[in-house]
Amino acid sequence: MIKTKVFCLLVVLTLGLYSCKEQKTTQTDNQAIELFELTVSDIHKAYEEGTFNSEQLVLAYTQRIKDFDGTINAITILNPQALQVAKALDKEYKETGILRPLHGIPIIVKDNINTAGLPTTAGSLALKDFIPEEDAFIIKKLVEADAIIIAKSNMAEWAFSPMHTESSTAGTTRNPYNTDYVPAESSGGTGASIASNFGTIGLGTDTGNSIRGPSSHNSLVGFRTTLGLVSRSAIVPLYLRNDVVGPMCRTVEDATKVLEIIAGYDSDDPLTKNSEGKIPTSYTQFLKKDALVGARIGVLRELSDSDPDPEIKTLFEQSLSELDSLGATVVDSVVVPGFASLKENQWCAPFREDVEGFLASYVKNDSIKTIEDIIEAAKYF
């Protein structure tokens, strides 16, 4: 049985404290590609210098998934069209010499986000045959930026688990740093995938902690985006009052580049109307080495000191010291009046309404229309 470890988080950005030590070089067309912690900038530099191309990179990542995912169990399906897309992008780049923001960057997508031609199951056997005909709004935006959907990742069934990543469709995902431990929460498949160097960037969803938790457990940077900033349309909901979608990447820079693409108004998610006129022309303009100077970062001790693992407690305190040394003002601690009562009753009371709305809008299957249908379907698998 997998052990669960409680991890303290720094809100919004999860700071990686370790990096996977296991490395594997993939040989493609006599060109060695070192996949270890590749970033968007690394890849685009390689494309410009002719070190490798999109097709070779997709082949290398695909081989790594085949070599290692048997142990990690993070990937639910490889995209059979990824290589064809990569070849087309290589042809385009050869003709134009232009690299779009995510040109040829392999991305791993959580299995509750509609991706045309690939199953979107939300980890449930009830949706095992649901294959969307159209991409979710954010996937369209990423594809327009020339990202390559290389695979989809396992998740906690219906995104309900606050601790581990287990589904009836794909089983249990393990943490690549130590397979006796969990990758954490519902986006653990994406977190474990990026930590395992199965892709360059990833997408997760977060209702309570499901981007931030797996990012912490897998030494990544994860953004829980502001409600209304990024569209949730064509994403299987858990609790639309709290649901968001965001990037999970190796670096702040890569996560920022993904956010820059996916942020924006979508008529199918009315909440994004609130973001109109408030999104800067560029998020990458804020990537400055001294950006923490003068920043005020609060420490919610009522949460962070709630029986943490001693090792994690030490690392948390170390991170606070590092923030201070980088010029931030650490406000230790912050008190939220009534926090104990505010955090109660945060469960997903409207789940029926939210998920049945998704089924009606996207699945459109007469045999799977209600919660009762989902429960009934599970009896026959």
Side-chain angles (χ1 to χ4, degrees):
M1 181 175 181
I2 297 177
K3 303 172 186 175
T4 302
K5 238 183 176 184
V6 178
F7 280 67
C8 293
L9 306 174
L10 293 176
V11 176
V12 185
L13 296 183
T14 304
L15 303 179
L17 298 172
Y18 303 107
S19 61
C20 276
K21 296 180 179 179
E22 181 180 33
Q23 301 185 36
K24 183 177 177 69
T25 298
T26 301
Q27 193 78 19
T28 308
D29 293 342
N30 298 318
Q31 174 62 57
I33 300 179
E34 179 52 78
L35 296 176
F36 184 61
E37 299 195 5
L38 277 178
T39 66
V40 173
S41 294
D42 293 335
I43 293 168
H44 280 178
K45 181 180 179 182
Y47 290 166
E48 291 170 342
E49 295 177 350
T51 307
F52 56 79
N53 60 24
S54 299
E55 178 185 357
Q56 293 168 329
L57 184 61
V58 167
L59 285 169
Y61 273 128
T62 300
Q63 187 58 55
R64 183 170 176 85
I65 291 169
K66 292 177 180 177
D67 288 343
F68 293 111
D69 193 48
T71 301
I72 306 302
N73 195 38
I75 299 298
T76 58
I77 189 168
L78 287 167
N79 182 4
Q81 301 301 316
L83 199 58
Q84 180 179 335
V85 172
K87 289 178 180 179
L89 289 175
D90 288 338
K91 182 175 183 292
E92 177 188 297
Y93 179 58
K94 188 174 181 181
E95 293 171 351
T96 67
I98 297 172
L99 291 174
R100 291 193 181 91
L102 295 177
H103 181 103
I105 303 300
I107 183 170
I108 292 173
V109 178
K110 186 176 178 179
D111 193 27
N112 59 347
I113 303 172
N114 280 8
T115 312
L118 297 175
T120 297
T121 73
S124 172
L125 286 171
L127 294 182
K128 72 181 184 66
D129 296 323
F130 173 50
I131 300 177
E133 296 180 356
E134 188 175 358
D135 286 330
F137 178 83
I138 59 168
I139 299 298
K140 290 178 183 176
K141 300 270 283 184
L142 290 164
V143 170
E144 288 170 2
D146 283 353
I148 302 172
I149 311 301
I150 191 171
K152 298 196 76 171
S153 58
N154 192 30
M155 60 179 286
E157 192 156 348
W158 299 107
F160 265 109
S161 173
M163 294 183 181
H164 64 291
T165 307
E166 184 173 1
S167 67
S168 61
T169 52
T172 301
T173 299
R174 298 177 182 275
N175 191 304
Y177 290 97
N178 184 335
T179 55
D180 286 337
Y181 290 93
V182 298
E185 311 203 31
S186 71
S187 300
T190 297
S193 295
I194 302 304
S196 298
N197 300 296
F198 292 163
T200 312
I201 57 179
L203 282 180
T205 59
D206 187 313
T207 303
N209 196 36
S210 289
I211 286 174
R212 293 160 291 168
S215 295
S216 177
H217 281 59
N218 291 279
S219 192
L220 303 176
V221 174
F223 289 173
R224 176 184 162 84
T225 54
T226 304
L227 278 161
L229 181 62
V230 179
S231 169
R232 293 93 41 86
S233 68
I235 299 175
V236 182
L238 176 58
Y239 190 13
L240 280 174
R241 193 196 78 171
N242 290 358
D243 289 349
V244 299
V245 59
M248 298 170 67
C249 303
R250 284 284 188 183
T251 66
V252 174
E253 181 179 7
D254 280 2
T256 303
K257 288 178 177 179
V258 175
L259 177 62
E260 199 162 77
I261 299 300
I262 62 177
Y265 173 64
D266 172 19
S267 59
D268 288 334
D269 184 355
L271 196 61
T272 58
K273 184 74 174 176
N274 295 321
S275 70
E276 285 195 306
K278 301 174 184 176
I279 298 175
T281 54
S282 167
Y283 281 109
T284 54
Q285 67 179 301
F286 303 114
L287 293 171
K288 301 175 182 178
K289 289 185 177 180
D290 62 350
L292 283 174
V293 174
R296 288 171 60 83
I297 298 176
V299 184
L300 186 59
R301 290 288 178 184
E302 188 173 353
L303 187 61
S304 66
D305 288 2
S306 179
D307 193 29
D309 180 278
E311 182 181 357
I312 301 306
K313 171 72 171 174
T314 299
L315 293 171
F316 184 77
E317 298 299 333
Q318 178 183 320
S319 295
L320 295 180
S321 296
E322 290 173 354
L323 289 169
D324 182 74
S325 69
L326 291 169
T329 298
V330 178
V331 182
D332 190 0
S333 67
V334 170
V335 176
V336 178
F339 179 74
S341 60
L342 287 171
K343 70 178 183 178
E344 292 179 354
N345 300 319
Q346 292 298 309
W347 299 108
C348 314
F351 177 69
R352 173 187 289 276
E353 177 184 344
D354 291 345
V355 80
E356 289 181 0
F358 177 89
L359 296 175
S361 298
Y362 300 104
V363 179
K364 300 177 181 178
N365 183 334
D366 287 341
S367 63
I368 303 290
K369 297 172 69 175
T370 67
I371 294 291
E372 287 76 17
D373 292 336
I374 291 170
I375 295 170
E376 188 68 19
K379 296 178 181 178
Y380 300 100
F381 296 112

